[in-house]
Amino acid sequence: MVLLTWIAEVADEPLVLEPADRRVEWETNTWSLGAAEEDRTSLSAPEVVAAFERTALGIRERIRDLGFSGVATFYVWHDEQAGQLRCSTGSVSPDALPFSGTYVVSDALGPVVEGFLIASEPGVTTWSDLDDVQSHSDQTGPEIRPLRVWASSVGT
């Protein structure tokens, strides 16, 4: 259950809220969390969701103790390419998260965690999952699904 320990530790890691320097926030406050196969099979999505919710509460308390009076968001997403759950805190609202691509904010963390837990070989794309380029020659391009992100308000 190493994953649950790592999620809990995020609440105590260094935290920077600097609206004028979002890059420093991103570099300091972003965490990548992986899990061994045994963790993936022994953990349930509700256990992982509860751990992230506790972490969000801990971060909210820390932000209050710091006296920060602005908007802040703790958010979690599944980086399928890296095979990791990632989380971060930023002095932004959920509609202004620092993703370069399209994303959808959800109040349900379960689907994000489930996608991570069921990934049989995280970060690996099998040959059978790759599309034949020739069969798509008449299409405009592959359909791009927006990134699903769970967000929790942790600021004022």
Side-chain angles (χ1 to χ4, degrees):
M1 310 267 184
V2 174
L3 179 62
L4 298 181
T5 301
W6 288 342
I7 294 169
E9 289 174 352
V10 168
D12 298 321
E13 292 294 334
L15 179 66
V16 172
L17 294 172
E18 186 57 57
D21 196 345
R22 298 271 161 69
R23 181 182 163 136
V24 168
E25 283 185 351
W26 177 261
E27 290 173 357
T28 305
N29 302 341
T30 302
W31 301 98
S32 301
L33 307 165
E37 184 63 28
E38 61 216 31
D39 259 9
R40 288 177 189 275
T41 57
S42 66
L43 288 172
S44 70
E47 289 174 300
V48 178
V49 167
F52 275 118
E53 289 172 341
R54 286 188 301 273
T55 295
L57 287 173
I59 290 172
R60 182 176 296 123
E61 290 173 11
R62 285 184 63 199
I63 289 173
R64 191 173 335 145
D65 292 344
L66 290 172
F68 183 79
S69 60
V71 173
T73 303
F74 174 71
Y75 52 103
V76 179
W77 70 100
H78 175 203
D79 183 333
E80 292 182 31
Q81 288 182 320
Q84 299 171 332
L85 282 173
R86 297 202 178 181
C87 61
S88 190
T89 304
S91 59
V92 295
S93 62
D95 63 345
L97 299 177
F99 292 107
S100 59
T102 306
Y103 68 95
V104 151
V105 175
S106 173
D107 58 356
L109 179 54
V112 174
V113 170
E114 288 166 4
F116 170 74
L117 291 176
I118 64 170
S120 60
E121 292 187 63
V124 174
T125 303
T126 62
W127 283 109
S128 62
D129 290 337
L130 296 175
D131 290 331
D132 180 6
V133 175
Q134 297 294 342
S135 69
H136 295 289
S137 61
D138 59 345
Q139 294 182 358
T140 58
E143 181 182 338
I144 298 174
R145 293 179 302 146
L147 179 66
R148 182 186 297 252
V149 180
W150 175 76
S152 176
S153 176
V154 292
T156 57

